[in-house]
Amino acid sequence: MAQLRLALNQIDSTVGDLAANAESVLRWTRHSAAQGAHLAVFPEMALTGYPVEDLALRRSFVEAGRDALHALAARLRDEGLGELPVVVGYLDRSDAAEPRLGRPAGAPLNAAAVLHRGTAVLTFAKHHLPNYGVFDEFRYFVPGDTMPVVRVRGVDVALAICEDLWQEGGRVPAARAAGAGLLVSVNASPYEREKDDTRLELVRKRAQEAGCTTAYLAMTGGQDELVFDGDSIVVDRDGRVIARAPQFEERCLVLDLDLPAAPATAPSGIVDDGLRIDHVTIEADPVPAYEPAFPGTVAEHLDDDAEVYRALVTGLRAYAAKNGFRSVLIGLSGGIDSALVAAIACDAVGAENVYGVAMPSRYSSEHSIADAEELARRTGLNFRTQPIAPMFDAYMGALGLTGLAEENLQSRLRGTMLMAISNQEGHIVLAPGNKSELACGYSTLYGDSVGAYGPIKDVYKTGIFRLARWRNRAAEERGETAPIPENSITKPPSAELRPGQVDTDSLPDYDVLDRLLELYVDRDRGLAEIVAEGFDPELVTRVLRLVDTAEYKRRQYPPGTKISPKGFGKDRRLPITNRWRERG
């Protein structure tokens, strides 16, 4: 057996900020070296950020990424860190001397490199390319065709990138065939609700298939609609968890491993899926025996509601910070949606940077204004009241609107007011719509849908209630003031655009609606399948029609944090002009 001290650096990267990302890798490499690591590892595309989307098709960006990698290798050497092998993900391109079908010369690669003594001693590209959900890697990249193995301190370490573990075959069985003592996978796997359980079982299974200890290093932070939750995992060859990093935190997970010593003869040849072993020796001799200082820690995991809430906070914080915004603006109605958005915003950017505006109309109840004021008092956010009655009366005097047009005018006046304040004061507007409303088109274009970001757009209404109660309970357990007024949680949801209006005038009860929507939107079940689950056929037909005809509205809604397997946006792509209707 041989000993190896592994440093898994679970960090946050920003797409396109090559200089800052390189500085982050340098800083965490210094930390890894200070811990006595023998191998430091960074996530998938840590140097360029992930996902780069169509930047991958811009040759200037690809070349800048390659240059940044070589500059990073040189800086590591110049700062006295050159002896520590560093694995880092980046964007590359194919330099194939003999281009062939599916692998043209110059094609972009989702790649990683092993940096040592100022150079990239080994580079490789992701073999399995995901092409589902938010992933569109067939559009950008060509697959790698090697089985990279690096010998470090007498241990053969096989290397993989994200989807190489999620799909069958490829580098996992190839690692076994190559006789690797450790399999390390670098990842930028986006967060989804309850994905941590799926991920753990996956890593356990792959370790058993590879026949060796397996380390799964994940990215953390946020990028547009995606959140990365970290949760890096190391398991032994039998699937037993050795170490696990915390969720949603940058962290260097260091652990001492006892691993099989590499054979005298380096592995070579062609293995599973036609992968050619690409073996590089950095240090053939094992490290002299030492007393392990890092046996591995397993972080306590968040419960489901805490995990989702943390994801929503992380998503908003990353979006604001990475786009240069310091403050946010929210229309406060006194209802639960805007109250939860306000609580998330206060946790994400600080209450002092959150600005709330109550915009009452003639139909606004006294409790709505009182609940908005109470929310502001509890959280400490900045609050003002700006009635829309004068503007509403002016429009009505000029246009004489009635019915739905009159109701929507109120929402659009509020949207105009929010955008005007945003332009004047520099805050970004947060849209408070939830997934139930967006699914059914229960929102007003250029009204409550205005904004730069929708923090709860992927959370169904029943989830909104659950998260609000969880956030209040969490505050009370810490001896803090619960941020969300109880009345905002318990009163019937209402847009208050006409006298006595409640959401159930237009929509089914949310408990029923959300279960139905989850089947149709998240699971792509058809009408007959949903009815077979026990739902009323007329109700199903009506809800499905609402969902189908609201596609044009959803296309115009701002981005927001994805927490489900199928969020509106990149996950679910349907034509706006669409005459297909589900039939029983």
Side-chain angles (χ1 to χ4, degrees):
M1 299 293 282
Q3 291 178 287
L4 186 74
R5 182 168 293 174
L6 179 67
L8 300 175
N9 291 281
Q10 179 176 288
I11 67 168
D12 181 10
S13 296
T14 301
V15 166
D17 198 345
L18 303 178
N21 295 339
E23 287 295 334
S24 181
V25 172
L26 277 163
R27 183 172 68 254
W28 287 99
T29 300
R30 292 187 198 106
H31 177 79
S32 301
Q35 306 305 307
H38 303 131
L39 177 65
V41 188
F42 292 86
E44 176 182 11
M45 283 194 146
L47 193 54
T48 49
Y50 183 89
V52 296
E53 299 185 326
D54 277 14
L55 284 173
L57 305 178
R58 193 173 299 176
R59 188 176 183 86
S60 59
F61 183 66
V62 178
E63 292 304 320
R66 286 161 60 98
D67 291 345
L69 180 79
H70 298 309
L72 174 62
R75 285 193 63 187
L76 288 168
R77 177 198 59 210
D78 295 344
E79 294 196 18
L81 300 168
E83 293 301 317
L84 173 60
V86 174
V87 181
V88 61
Y90 73 108
L91 176 64
D92 202 352
R93 61 174 170 78
S94 172
D95 288 326
E98 298 180 3
R100 61 187 190 276
L101 184 64
R103 292 184 177 87
L109 299 170
N110 181 336
V114 181
L115 307 181
H116 186 243
R117 294 181 178 174
T119 63
V121 297
L122 178 65
T123 63
F124 61 100
K126 184 189 287 189
H127 176 58
H128 287 311
L129 299 178
N131 208 56
Y132 53 86
V134 300
F135 304 108
D136 205 5
E137 295 204 7
F138 282 158
R139 174 181 173 88
Y140 305 115
F141 306 121
V142 295
D145 56 4
T146 65
M147 178 64 247
V149 182
V150 58
R151 185 164 294 182
V152 180
R153 302 297 180 122
V155 176
D156 274 349
V157 182
L159 301 169
I161 302 176
C162 202
E163 195 71 9
D164 293 340
L165 255 66
W166 287 92
Q167 291 191 30
E168 300 287 342
R171 284 182 172 142
V172 173
R176 177 186 283 272
L182 173 67
L183 171 61
V184 174
S185 177
V186 297
N187 307 271
S189 180
Y191 169 80
E192 289 176 7
R193 192 177 56 241
E194 299 174 1
K195 190 175 184 178
D196 55 329
D197 298 328
T198 304
R199 182 185 293 138
L200 175 58
E201 292 309 310
L202 171 80
V203 177
R204 282 174 164 161
K205 178 181 178 182
R206 295 301 187 237
Q208 292 167 350
E209 292 172 351
C212 63
T213 297
T214 298
Y216 180 101
L217 169 63
M219 184 178 285
T220 190
Q223 171 64 32
D224 293 344
E225 294 180 283
L226 303 182
V227 171
F228 304 97
D229 60 323
D231 189 32
S232 299
I233 305 168
V234 183
V235 303
D236 66 18
R237 61 181 299 166
D238 298 318
R240 182 180 64 88
V241 176
I242 302 172
R244 196 167 186 180
Q247 296 167 282
F248 305 105
E249 294 180 20
E250 286 197 306
R251 186 64 60 90
C252 178
L253 181 64
V254 183
L255 68 157
D256 288 306
L257 297 169
D258 288 319
L259 301 168
T265 303
S268 62
I270 304 298
V271 288
D272 297 70
D273 278 12
L275 297 175
R276 173 181 52 82
I277 294 177
D278 191 1
H279 188 281
V280 170
T281 296
I282 289 178
E283 179 57 67
D285 296 329
V287 65
Y290 64 90
E291 187 67 28
F294 300 94
T297 59
V298 178
E300 182 177 352
H301 259 51
L302 303 171
D303 64 40
D304 290 345
D305 290 334
E307 180 185 281
V308 169
Y309 189 86
R310 187 74 175 273
L312 298 176
V313 169
T314 299
L316 175 56
R317 179 184 294 137
Y319 188 84
K322 292 183 177 183
N323 287 287
F325 300 114
R326 291 181 295 180
S327 55
V328 301
L329 177 65
I330 309 167
L332 296 180
S333 66
I336 191 170
D337 291 334
S338 63
L340 181 62
V341 169
I344 292 168
C346 289
D347 290 336
V349 302
E352 69 278 9
N353 297 312
V354 178
Y355 293 78
V357 185
M359 297 169 285
S361 73
R362 66 176 65 170
Y363 302 123
S364 298
S365 61
E366 290 185 10
H367 65 71
S368 293
I369 301 172
D371 291 341
E373 291 174 341
E374 176 65 8
L375 171 74
R377 186 192 68 78
R378 288 170 176 238
T379 60
L381 61 80
N382 304 282
F383 180 73
R384 75 187 87 171
T385 299
Q386 182 62 60
I388 64 168
M391 292 172 280
F392 179 74
D393 291 342
Y395 268 89
M396 291 298 291
L399 298 175
L401 304 176
T402 61
L404 186 61
E406 179 185 0
E407 294 179 23
N408 287 344
L409 174 62
Q410 297 168 71
S411 180
R412 291 190 173 113
L413 287 172
R414 291 178 174 126
T416 299
M417 183 176 292
L418 288 171
M419 292 310 301
I421 295 172
S422 171
N423 291 160
Q424 182 68 27
E425 300 179 8
H427 322 299
I428 60 167
V429 177
L430 301 183
N434 61 66
K435 193 171 186 176
S436 305
E437 295 172 348
L438 297 182
C440 296
Y442 194 62
S443 63
T444 304
L445 281 178
Y446 325 118
D448 56 315
S449 65
V450 304
Y453 202 73
I456 59 172
K457 69 175 289 188
D458 199 27
V459 185
Y460 286 118
K461 188 76 172 190
T462 48
I464 300 296
F465 285 107
R466 189 172 62 250
L467 289 175
R469 293 190 180 97
W470 175 86
R471 181 62 183 86
N472 278 0
R473 188 169 61 252
E476 292 165 353
E477 290 172 354
R478 293 194 296 264
E480 301 170 353
T481 300
I484 301 174
E486 185 64 23
N487 197 46
S488 293
I489 300 175
T490 58
K491 66 185 177 184
S494 171
E496 293 194 326
L497 299 177
R498 63 175 183 269
Q501 182 187 34
V502 291
D503 288 4
T504 49
D505 293 341
S506 305
L507 298 174
D509 181 83
Y510 282 117
D511 287 334
V512 176
L513 176 64
D514 288 353
R515 287 189 288 114
L516 195 162
L517 290 174
E518 199 272 336
L519 292 170
Y520 188 52
V521 174
D522 293 50
R523 301 190 189 181
D524 283 315
R525 299 284 178 83
L527 187 149
E529 294 173 285
I530 297 173
V531 170
E533 294 280 343
F535 291 91
D536 176 70
E538 290 187 11
L539 173 64
V540 175
T541 300
R542 181 165 75 89
V543 171
L544 267 54
R545 176 64 60 89
L546 288 173
V547 175
D548 291 346
T549 56
E551 185 63 30
Y552 76 101
K553 285 189 175 184
R554 290 189 290 271
R555 291 285 184 95
Q556 299 180 68
Y557 203 81
T561 306
K562 165 185 158 65
I563 56 121
S564 76
K566 184 162 281 193
F568 291 126
K570 292 181 181 180
D571 277 326
R572 189 177 187 270
R573 312 175 198 182
L574 292 174
I576 295 174
T577 305
N578 174 17
R579 292 190 177 181
W580 167 254
R581 293 293 177 263
E582 289 285 341
R583 295 169 177 81

